[in-house]
């Protein structure tokens, strides 16, 4: 009887895969029926519940699931005295658990990976030249230098954001809301980010945050540097509202931070974008040209650029590499072919959007008037 039950699980999973492949064969179907339909409804319902509590319900749920798994493993061990039967039951339990997780993940959040790409929705070109990347990087450098000088009055000093992280989480909601009103790209429904109860484990795993695919709560690692916290919080809310792809969540998170009136937050957004551009340039430019570009950056800005790297290096371990390898391949399975290394896709969006709606040159004169 038990073997028959396992077969039903497998049969149901095959039926689900067929349904998924049919739906995801057309991104317009996913956009209309899932993202704007079922997902939007589920997000409104679940957010109304999770917003009632200041802590993460999803994190508590994971803890309870962990307790249940330990209890079930111990139960299987006690009931089955033969080693062969134990292994058989463990494997069947593992199989059912993996199938349930994948189906629930896909239905409740994962199908957003197959929606119409943001570049298509915004009618943006794809692909960029080295000249376009260099030009954008220099624009960002000039504006970031101006902001840094305005905030510190000294090109040698790094910018320090003294705002409490709980306040930053609230401000991130405001930025996402403001972006939704100015662009009409998505509907903001009081989504918010929360500090994760598992921030320390997340740090050793190498993650700044995540969205719980079951409760749809945006979780932020409270250990990360404050200078990257606001963009990360906006990034996770972008995931929450349906932008599953890392590059698109980066883009929305960056723009939301740029929407803030606090210049410290705008500066953080610039640092975020500049770090991605420099990473791409380093692999494409000659060492001499790259060095010349680096010399244009104020020493204080360079300190802020290094904060994130220094922080993650201090926690780097074998677990970081293992979890990132697993997560990167999980993204590839879910229609994100670039995995976690999606910086070029984010830059692609940024370059072509900046041409249509200047993000850096358009506001540079505004900043300069304060100097």
């Amino acid at each position: 009887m038990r073997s028959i039950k396992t077969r039903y699980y497998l049969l149901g999973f095959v039926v689900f895969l067929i349904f998924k492949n049919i739906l995801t064969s057309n991104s317009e179907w996913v956009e209309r029926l899932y993202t704007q339909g079922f997902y939007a409804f589920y997000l409104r319902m679940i957010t109304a519940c999770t917003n009632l509590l200041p802590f993460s319900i999803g994190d508590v749920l994971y803890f309870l699931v962990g307790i249940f798994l330990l209890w079930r493993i111990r139960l299987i061990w006690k009931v089955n005295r033969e080693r062969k039967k134990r292994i058989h039951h463990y494997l069947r339990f593992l199989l059912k658990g993996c199938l349930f997780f994948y189906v629930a993940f896909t239905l409740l959040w994962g199908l957003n990976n197959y929606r119409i790409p943001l570049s298509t929705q915004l009618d943006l070109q794809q692909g960029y030249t080295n000249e376009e990347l260099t030009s954008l990087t220099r624009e960002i450098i000039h504006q970031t230098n101006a902001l840094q000088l305005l905030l510190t009055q000294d090109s040698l000093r790094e910018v320090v954001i003294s705002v409490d992280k709980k306040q930053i989480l609230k401000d991130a909601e405001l930025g996402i809301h403001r972006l939704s009103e100015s662009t009409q790209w998505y509907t903001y429904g009081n989504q918010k980010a929360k500090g994760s109860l598992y921030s320390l484990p997340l740090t050793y795993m190498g993650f700044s945050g995540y969205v719980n695919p079951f409760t749809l709560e945006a979780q932020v690692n409270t250990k990360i540097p404050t200078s990257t916290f606001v963009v990360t919080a906006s990034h996770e809310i972008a995931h929450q509202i349906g932008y599953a792809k890392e590059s698109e969540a980066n883009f929305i998170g960056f723009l939301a931070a740029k929407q803030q009136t606090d210049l410290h937050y705008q500066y953080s957004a610039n640092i975020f974008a500049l770090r991605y551009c420099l990473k791409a340039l380093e692999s494409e430019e000659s060492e001499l040209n790259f060095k010349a570009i680096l010399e244009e950056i104020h020493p204080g800005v360079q300190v802020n650029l290094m904060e994130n790297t220094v922080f993650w290096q201090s926690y780097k371990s074998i677990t970081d590499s293992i979890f990132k390898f697993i997560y990167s391949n999980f993204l590839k399975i879910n229609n994100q072919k670039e995995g976690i290394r999606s910086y070029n896709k984010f830059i692609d969006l940024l370059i072509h959007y900046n041409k249509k709606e200047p993000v850096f040159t358009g506001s540079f004169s505004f900043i300069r008037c304060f100097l």
Side-chain angles (χ1 to χ4, degrees), residues 290-306:
F290 183 67
K291 217 171 181 181
I293 291 172
L294 284 180
E295 288 174 355
E296 297 178 20
I297 305 173
H298 285 176
V301 175
Q302 292 186 28
V303 173
N304 288 129
L305 284 169
M306 287 300 296

Side-chain angles (χ1 to χ4, degrees), residues 65-327:
V65 169
I67 297 295
F68 169 75
L69 290 177
L70 290 174
W71 171 79
R72 190 62 188 270
I73 289 169
R74 186 170 178 270
L75 183 65
I76 292 173
W77 180 272
K78 286 179 69 176
V79 172
N80 300 281
R81 299 194 176 277
E82 294 181 22
R83 183 181 175 188
K84 195 173 182 179
K85 282 187 177 181
R86 283 175 182 165
I87 294 173
H88 180 71
H89 278 77
Y90 282 139
L91 289 176
R92 191 165 62 228
F93 180 62
L94 178 64
L95 174 64
K96 289 177 181 178
C98 290
L99 294 182
F100 174 81
F101 173 84
Y102 182 76
V103 171
F105 168 86
T106 304
L107 286 176
L108 298 180
W109 187 77
L111 284 173
N112 284 311
N113 283 294
Y114 300 89
R115 64 185 299 194
I116 298 173
L118 187 57
S119 58
T120 303
Q121 293 183 36
L122 302 182
D123 193 26
L124 300 178
Q125 296 178 18
Q126 295 186 50
Y128 58 85
T129 64
N130 194 49
E131 289 74 22
E132 288 175 319
L133 173 60
T134 303
S135 175
L136 177 70
T137 304
R138 286 202 154 104
E139 282 183 35
I140 300 174
I141 288 172
H142 293 156
Q143 190 185 96
T144 307
N145 282 345
L147 272 169
Q148 182 265 343
L149 203 55
L150 176 62
L151 292 168
T152 66
Q153 308 300 317
D154 184 352
S155 64
L156 300 177
R157 285 176 54 198
E158 74 274 18
V159 173
V160 177
I161 302 177
S162 56
V163 183
D164 180 73
K165 286 182 176 177
K166 288 183 179 179
Q167 183 61 47
I168 293 177
L169 290 175
K170 292 179 181 178
D171 292 339
E173 298 168 35
L174 183 63
I176 288 287
H177 188 197
R178 192 172 288 151
L179 182 64
S180 74
E181 291 183 327
S182 63
T183 63
Q184 302 296 309
W185 294 345
Y186 55 87
T187 301
Y188 175 76
N190 201 31
Q191 284 76 42
K192 60 176 65 178
K194 297 179 179 180
S196 175
L197 299 176
Y198 304 128
S199 290
L200 186 59
L202 282 176
T203 304
Y204 281 107
M205 291 161 64
F207 295 115
S208 298
Y210 72 98
V211 165
N212 187 302
F214 310 109
T215 62
L216 302 185
E217 291 169 289
Q219 318 285 333
V220 186
N221 181 345
T222 57
K223 296 265 180 205
I224 63 175
T226 308
S227 58
T228 63
F229 196 81
V230 65
V231 181
T232 301
S234 303
H235 169 106
E236 298 306 334
I237 299 175
H239 275 321
Q240 188 182 27
I241 59 181
Y243 291 98
K245 292 187 176 179
E246 291 297 317
S247 54
E248 295 182 359
N250 277 340
F251 182 65
I252 296 294
F254 160 77
L255 287 179
K258 285 290 283 184
Q259 290 278 332
Q260 302 281 356
T261 54
D262 190 326
L263 293 183
H264 290 86
Y265 292 166
Q266 293 183 29
Y267 177 80
S268 294
N270 277 23
I271 289 292
F272 179 84
L274 182 55
R275 200 167 61 239
Y276 272 78
C277 287
L278 289 173
K279 188 175 182 180
L281 268 179
E282 189 176 15
S283 61
E284 296 180 20
E285 275 283 8
S286 67
E287 187 177 344
L288 189 63
N289 289 340
F290 183 67
K291 217 171 181 181
I293 291 172
L294 284 180
E295 288 174 355
E296 297 178 20
I297 305 173
H298 285 176
V301 175
Q302 292 186 28
V303 173
N304 288 129
L305 284 169
M306 287 300 296
E307 279 179 337
N308 202 54
T309 303
V310 170
F311 171 79
W312 289 112
Q313 285 295 335
S314 66
Y315 285 95
K316 195 169 182 64
S317 64
I318 187 65
T319 56
D320 169 89
S321 302
I322 292 171
F323 280 106
K324 281 191 173 179
F325 173 79
I326 294 171
Y327 184 58

